[in-house]
Amino acid sequence: MLTLVGAALLVAGCSTGPDLDTLATGSVAPSAYAREPVPKGIAPDDWAAARTALAEALHEKQAAPSVPWENYASATRGTVTPLGATGDDGKCREFLMSFVREKQEDWLQGEACRAGKSGWKVDQARLLDR
């Protein structure tokens, strides 16, 4: 009986992991997309979070499901949805992003093109009219 209790405690101790730190401090600034201008009407921190999700969404060769993103510091969240290739060469893809804050929702439509080994560069991005 004592062996069974000891084994149960050993297994239970292995089933818990360290707590994850989810506090967004902004101490590490994303610099991978610093050369791209932030679209008009979008906060730079929100763009950085959405842009990271865009890179993930465009990683797939074909249109992929939406990728969620969230900026805890500004309480803004949304999704990025790759729409499909533009042009004959397939090096550029359209996308749609949502930006949701409290009672406001904005949509941004854009196009990103392959930039060699550095990934995707956003060439066009604009907020859609309401």
Side-chain angles (χ1 to χ4, degrees):
M1 182 69 169
L2 187 56
T3 305
L4 183 60
V5 171
L9 289 175
L10 182 63
V11 171
C14 294
S15 66
T16 61
D19 291 341
L20 297 177
D21 183 9
T22 59
L23 178 64
T25 62
S27 61
V28 179
S31 61
Y33 314 115
R35 290 174 276 144
E36 290 179 0
V38 175
K40 186 178 180 180
I42 303 296
D45 289 346
D46 293 342
W47 176 247
R51 184 61 179 84
T52 301
L54 175 62
E56 182 181 336
L58 293 177
H59 183 72
E60 297 296 322
K61 293 188 188 297
Q62 300 298 322
S66 298
V67 175
W69 65 271
E70 186 164 5
N71 179 359
Y72 295 105
S74 68
T76 304
R77 61 183 162 69
T79 59
V80 177
T81 306
L83 299 176
T86 61
D88 294 334
D89 59 4
K91 291 184 179 182
C92 296
R93 294 179 64 189
E94 288 185 315
F95 63 88
L96 192 61
M97 283 183 183
S98 65
F99 293 82
V100 180
R101 300 169 218 74
E102 292 183 14
K103 296 178 182 176
Q104 181 179 348
E105 183 174 331
D106 291 311
W107 290 89
L108 181 135
Q109 183 178 9
E111 180 182 75
C113 296
R114 278 219 175 271
K117 292 183 179 181
S118 61
W120 293 84
K121 182 179 182 297
V122 174
D123 288 335
Q124 302 174 26
R126 67 179 180 87
L127 281 174
L128 298 176
D129 293 332
R130 293 178 194 219

